[in-house]
Amino acid sequence: MAAAAPPLAAPPGGGPRRSQQALRRGGGGRRRRRRRRRHRARPPRWGTAAPGWAGGCEAAAAMLVCDGCGRALPCEAARRHPRCPPCQGLRRHAAAARPEAAGKEPGAHGWRLLGAPGADTGNGEQLYECPICSLTCTNLQFLEEHVDLHLEEHSFSEGGNMKDLELAQQLQNEEDKKQRLEEKREKEEFKKLQRQYGLDSSGGYKQQFLKNMEREVDRGRMQPFEYHKRKADMMESLAVGIDDGKTKTSGVIEALCKYYQNENKDVRRVWLSAGVDHFHSSLGDKGWGCGYRNFQMLLSSLLQNSFYNDCLRDTALIPSIPKIQSMIEDAWKEGFDPHGASHFNNRLRGSKAWIGACEIYSLLTSLRIKCQIIDFHKPTGPMGTHPRLFEWVLRYYSTDNEGGTKVVCTSRPPIYLQHQGHSRTVVGIEEKKNKTLCLLLFDPGCPSQEMQKLLKQSTDGTGLKLLRRFVGGLKEKQYQIVAVDGILTLEEKTARCHASWVLTSEKIP
């Protein structure tokens, strides 16, 4: 009986033909078993004693290595069996490895011997060694199946690695896309905040005033001649730095005093500020000018009090909003609140930047007006309320005004009240018969048409709904107030300027 052929390495192009077919069929099955039975029943085509590689070469006694590429291939008898598929694969591989030798015999390509058949077991059986893992077998069929498993495992591993790489790449792409979207969202949010707080370089009072008037003309709400007249008035107001007074309502405090003297329902006592004019937002500062308008209200009261004449000799009239911006910039140049100045890049004029309690404090102090910031940094009552704020305002107005009269018209200036996103002016406080307190507020968002209604005598007090705020009506997380309390000497002003780099406020727990 002829000796069984030794194991053959995978020919070029991906392994034995039958192994590739087995992989396409999923690695076996009934058809494969029938083919094996035919092999056992029919002598091998090339005279092998046992079924080896499909179309295996009987004389393949060793592994050969190509000098051109270093690849191991079987079939040392390529020249003797030109029709043997491994030999044909050998020719194709050699032609690909060394094109200049194409058409020559495989031996001319520099094939060298890699290994020899396994040793005999001593009882006439031939041993065959796996070219992949060096496993030794006595049956070539078993070796073939073993090598098939190697090929299947290798194919699966390559496919798995490819899937892992594809999955990793997909996850990375999704992460990059998510990061880009997050960066885009952050930029949009930042731009939105810049627009909201007037730091987007989109122009200031003048630009907004003209733009809003043009919109009114386009909508038919304003005639062209009125547009040109108001534009001329606005330009004149900006040139002299004086507010045009078109948003001002005077005499409200006096009307309130008369109302409370005749009111006999549930108000036990009421304290009112000195005379205060109400200013509301106009076309030029709507949406961002509340801080400036509240300063105008506070200043209108100080200008009516002769005690502050010496401090306000250069500010005899209510300044316009661009002028107030210049005044705050001048306070920064003196050294007040450098941290706040850096927040605005040391510039307010020509912008729609919001201002708050710190800017009002710096401006008043630069004018030698003594004031303080009181910070109600957290709620002090149930349901997020601030009863201690109401108690502080009551003490502010009732000090030195302990008379028994029902209506107390004090000499106290109004109070600047700030919370996140808005500010108002406190002009008085009510004490009900049941001891509850109610603040009286001027809101810059309230138009003059509504404030004019308060000038008319009303027995039911329905107009006061615009002004009244009970404890349950102030539920912001934090409030700040700026309260005026006298005049500073030049030395005191200088000391406060030097200390303003750590601008602090009194905190009410």
Side-chain angles (χ1 to χ4, degrees), residues 174-372:
E174 291 178 356
E175 183 67 23
D176 293 342
K177 182 178 179 181
K178 182 179 179 181
Q179 184 175 358
R180 289 193 297 270
L181 291 176
E182 183 67 19
E183 292 176 355
K184 182 179 179 181
R185 187 190 65 81
E186 290 178 356
K187 289 181 181 180
E188 291 176 352
E189 288 292 331
F190 181 70
K191 291 180 180 179
K192 182 179 178 181
L193 288 174
Q194 284 185 319
R195 290 193 300 270
Q196 180 180 355
Y197 291 98
L199 300 175
D200 58 346
S201 302
S202 61
Y205 180 90
K206 175 183 175 181
Q207 290 80 358
Q208 179 172 321
F209 195 96
L210 294 175
K211 184 177 180 180
N212 285 336
M213 284 202 305
E214 291 172 359
R215 185 180 292 111
E216 292 294 305
V217 172
D218 292 339
R219 294 176 179 176
R221 299 176 182 175
M222 182 183 296
Q223 297 298 323
F225 74 90
E226 183 182 358
Y227 166 84
H228 291 290
K229 182 179 183 303
R230 294 187 64 175
K231 179 180 178 181
D233 294 341
M234 184 266 296
M235 298 299 291
E236 181 180 359
S237 174
L238 296 183
V240 298
I242 303 301
D243 187 80
D244 57 14
K246 293 183 178 180
T247 68
K248 181 177 73 171
T249 302
S250 302
V252 177
I253 296 296
E254 292 76 9
L256 291 176
C257 183
K258 293 180 180 179
Y259 167 78
Y260 284 113
Q261 288 175 348
N262 299 323
E263 199 276 335
N264 294 314
K265 293 183 179 180
D266 58 348
V267 177
R268 178 175 175 268
R269 295 187 72 180
V270 61
W271 291 264
L272 298 174
S273 295
V276 184
D277 295 332
H278 176 268
F279 290 82
H280 71 84
S281 299
S282 67
L283 294 176
D285 61 287
K286 186 176 182 180
W288 57 274
C290 58
Y292 304 97
R293 295 301 183 180
N294 284 307
F295 175 76
Q296 289 178 331
M297 296 185 202
L298 176 57
L299 187 61
S300 69
S301 180
L302 296 177
L303 289 173
Q304 297 178 47
N305 192 331
S306 60
F307 182 74
Y308 297 96
N309 287 346
D310 186 50
C311 300
L312 302 175
R313 63 178 63 180
D314 296 331
T315 313
L317 299 174
I318 300 298
S320 63
I321 288 181
K323 178 62 176 178
I324 296 174
Q325 291 177 326
S326 297
M327 294 169 67
I328 296 175
E329 290 178 1
D330 292 339
W332 288 342
K333 292 177 182 178
E334 291 186 51
F336 288 97
D337 192 17
H339 179 72
S342 64
H343 173 75
F344 296 98
N345 294 323
N346 297 287
R347 183 172 180 80
L348 286 175
R349 190 175 178 87
S351 72
K352 294 182 286 188
W354 294 16
I355 61 173
C358 293
E359 288 69 46
I360 299 299
Y361 173 89
S362 298
L363 177 53
L364 291 174
T365 307
S366 69
L367 298 174
R368 291 199 304 115
I369 297 176
K370 184 179 181 180
C371 59
Q372 59 179 328

Side-chain angles (χ1 to χ4, degrees), residues 420-436:
Q420 178 65 36
H422 194 43
S423 59
R424 288 169 283 188
T425 298
V426 181
V427 298
I429 186 170
E430 294 179 356
E431 183 184 19
K432 302 293 185 181
K433 292 180 179 180
N434 59 2
K435 300 295 183 178
T436 60

Side-chain angles (χ1 to χ4, degrees), residues 46-62:
W46 287 285
T48 54
W53 302 100
C57 180
E58 172 186 33

Side-chain angles (χ1 to χ4, degrees), residues 305-480:
N305 192 331
S306 60
F307 182 74
Y308 297 96
N309 287 346
D310 186 50
C311 300
L312 302 175
R313 63 178 63 180
D314 296 331
T315 313
L317 299 174
I318 300 298
S320 63
I321 288 181
K323 178 62 176 178
I324 296 174
Q325 291 177 326
S326 297
M327 294 169 67
I328 296 175
E329 290 178 1
D330 292 339
W332 288 342
K333 292 177 182 178
E334 291 186 51
F336 288 97
D337 192 17
H339 179 72
S342 64
H343 173 75
F344 296 98
N345 294 323
N346 297 287
R347 183 172 180 80
L348 286 175
R349 190 175 178 87
S351 72
K352 294 182 286 188
W354 294 16
I355 61 173
C358 293
E359 288 69 46
I360 299 299
Y361 173 89
S362 298
L363 177 53
L364 291 174
T365 307
S366 69
L367 298 174
R368 291 199 304 115
I369 297 176
K370 184 179 181 180
C371 59
Q372 59 179 328
I373 298 178
I374 312 297
D375 187 8
F376 299 88
H377 61 96
K378 63 179 181 179
T380 55
M383 306 295 292
T385 57
H386 293 263
R388 292 194 180 182
L389 186 155
F390 287 71
E391 295 169 3
W392 193 96
V393 173
L394 178 62
R395 289 194 300 270
Y396 173 82
Y397 282 111
S398 61
T399 302
D400 302 329
N401 292 287
E402 294 295 339
T405 59
K406 177 182 178 181
V407 182
V408 182
C409 296
T410 72
S411 60
R412 290 282 191 177
I415 300 172
Y416 180 94
L417 176 65
Q418 176 77 49
H419 62 82
Q420 178 65 36
H422 194 43
S423 59
R424 288 169 283 188
T425 298
V426 181
V427 298
I429 186 170
E430 294 179 356
E431 183 184 19
K432 302 293 185 181
K433 292 180 179 180
N434 59 2
K435 300 295 183 178
T436 60
L437 299 176
C438 176
L439 295 182
L440 301 176
L441 304 177
F442 278 4
D443 191 334
C446 183
S448 58
Q449 294 84 349
E450 296 295 329
M451 297 299 297
Q452 293 290 335
K453 297 178 181 180
L454 296 172
L455 302 178
K456 301 176 182 179
Q457 293 295 323
S458 176
T459 56
D460 56 1
T462 55
L464 288 180
K465 292 181 180 180
L466 296 173
L467 309 182
R468 281 174 169 155
R469 291 295 182 275
F470 292 93
V471 175
L474 298 182
K475 291 186 178 181
E476 297 290 334
K477 293 182 179 180
Q478 181 179 7
Y479 288 91
Q480 287 182 322

